[in-house]
Amino acid sequence: MSILDSLPDEPEEDPSPESPTPQNHWLDKEQQLMPPQVKADAPLRMVETAFLASTASLIWFINFYFPLGPVLRIFFPVPIALVYLRWGKRAAWMAALTSGLLLTVLMGPARSLLFVMPYGFMGVLLGATWCRRRLPWIVSITLGTLLGTLGVFFRLWLLSVLSGQDLWIYVITQVTEFIEWVFFNLSLLASPSVFLIQVGAIALILLNNFIYLFVVHLAAWLLFDRLGNPIPRPPHWVQVLMDYEG
């Protein structure tokens, strides 16, 4: 028997996380020296925001020079609202600002303002009510109607300043003819008062914007579901009607 055979066996070292091997220790140092990786969604956010902002501007541009009735007008605030649903509030405001700047280059500052107010702001508002708050349709449509009504008055004021004429008088004339036609068909001998005409003009503007926002909600509901960014569900009677027509 040799001396080596008589020595007790030494226990084998069990590598554990407390005693890392030199290779693992070298890999840890390499990971510490590596620069932080850039998030992959940052370029995608920038590209989608720019693309949808240019889409909103292009829809306004085409409808201004080649009007196709109410078809394109429905989609004025939709791209910016989609930016809000996908990338949040900051990206939506950037999309609205980018659309305004692009239209300023293409059409001038006055016409770009007519898009930003109200449709640029409306896209951000609708995105906020659909994404963050998940509000019912009646709330988002009402808020959009108020903003759209302010946009009509802003448009009348801006165009009146640029043209040097009071365009509100033109609106009052059209509403007066409509109310007189209603009075004639109802066989009313009284003539409408100035106050009634003013209230009727505001009521017609509110009704027009309410119908417009309802149609915008329908288009966004049908479109965004297919894009994977759903909005709050419509009232039950709307779902039944759409299923019936479909």
Side-chain angles (χ1 to χ4, degrees):
M1 179 181 297
S2 64
I3 298 176
L4 295 177
D5 295 335
S6 62
L7 292 177
D9 296 334
E10 295 183 359
E12 296 182 359
E13 293 183 0
D14 186 14
S16 62
E18 297 180 356
S19 59
T21 61
Q23 184 178 3
N24 292 335
H25 185 66
W26 177 256
L27 292 176
D28 292 340
K29 285 187 176 181
E30 283 188 346
Q31 292 176 358
Q32 293 177 0
L33 295 176
M34 288 175 60
Q37 295 182 355
V38 181
K39 292 184 177 180
D41 59 348
L44 182 60
R45 182 192 300 114
M46 181 178 63
V47 171
E48 284 194 4
T49 302
F51 175 77
L52 291 172
S54 61
T55 301
S57 303
L58 185 61
I59 293 174
W60 172 267
F61 182 83
I62 294 174
N63 186 79
F64 189 87
Y65 289 106
F66 307 98
L68 300 176
V71 177
L72 291 179
R73 187 169 177 262
I74 296 173
F75 297 96
F76 285 167
V78 170
I80 298 176
L82 181 59
V83 173
Y84 200 114
L85 291 177
R86 292 184 62 82
W87 301 111
K89 177 175 65 176
R90 183 175 180 272
W93 282 112
M94 291 299 296
L97 178 61
T98 304
S99 299
L101 293 176
L102 182 58
L103 289 174
T104 301
V105 175
L106 295 175
M107 307 174 66
R111 293 170 181 172
S112 67
L113 287 176
L114 295 179
F115 170 79
V116 175
M117 179 62 187
Y119 300 109
F121 294 153
M122 189 180 294
V124 179
L125 174 65
L126 293 178
T129 56
W130 292 340
C131 179
R132 296 287 183 179
R133 303 296 182 182
R134 309 296 295 181
L135 298 176
W137 276 31
I138 186 61
V139 177
S140 57
I141 290 177
T142 302
L143 294 176
T145 300
L146 295 177
L147 180 59
T149 303
L150 291 177
V152 171
F153 286 108
F154 175 80
R155 175 178 299 181
L156 291 174
W157 170 79
L158 181 61
L159 295 178
S160 298
V161 171
L162 295 176
S163 63
Q165 299 178 357
D166 189 2
L167 298 181
W168 179 247
I169 298 177
Y170 173 76
V171 176
I172 293 299
T173 303
Q174 299 296 320
V175 175
T176 303
E177 294 179 356
F178 175 75
I179 294 178
E180 288 179 349
W181 177 80
V182 172
F183 275 37
F184 176 77
N185 285 273
L186 294 177
S187 300
L188 298 176
L189 299 178
S191 59
S193 62
V194 177
F195 176 76
L196 180 61
I197 294 173
Q198 300 276 355
V199 172
I202 297 175
L204 287 176
I205 294 173
L206 286 170
L207 179 62
N208 181 46
N209 281 278
F210 187 88
I211 296 174
Y212 170 73
L213 263 299
F214 179 75
V215 177
V216 169
H217 277 64
L218 281 179
W221 172 46
L222 298 175
L223 178 62
F224 289 176
D225 276 358
R226 289 163 174 77
L227 296 177
N229 298 100
I231 66 173
R233 300 297 89 186
H236 179 68
W237 65 270
V238 177
Q239 300 184 39
V240 172
L241 181 63
M242 297 302 293
D243 290 338
Y244 173 77
E245 293 183 352

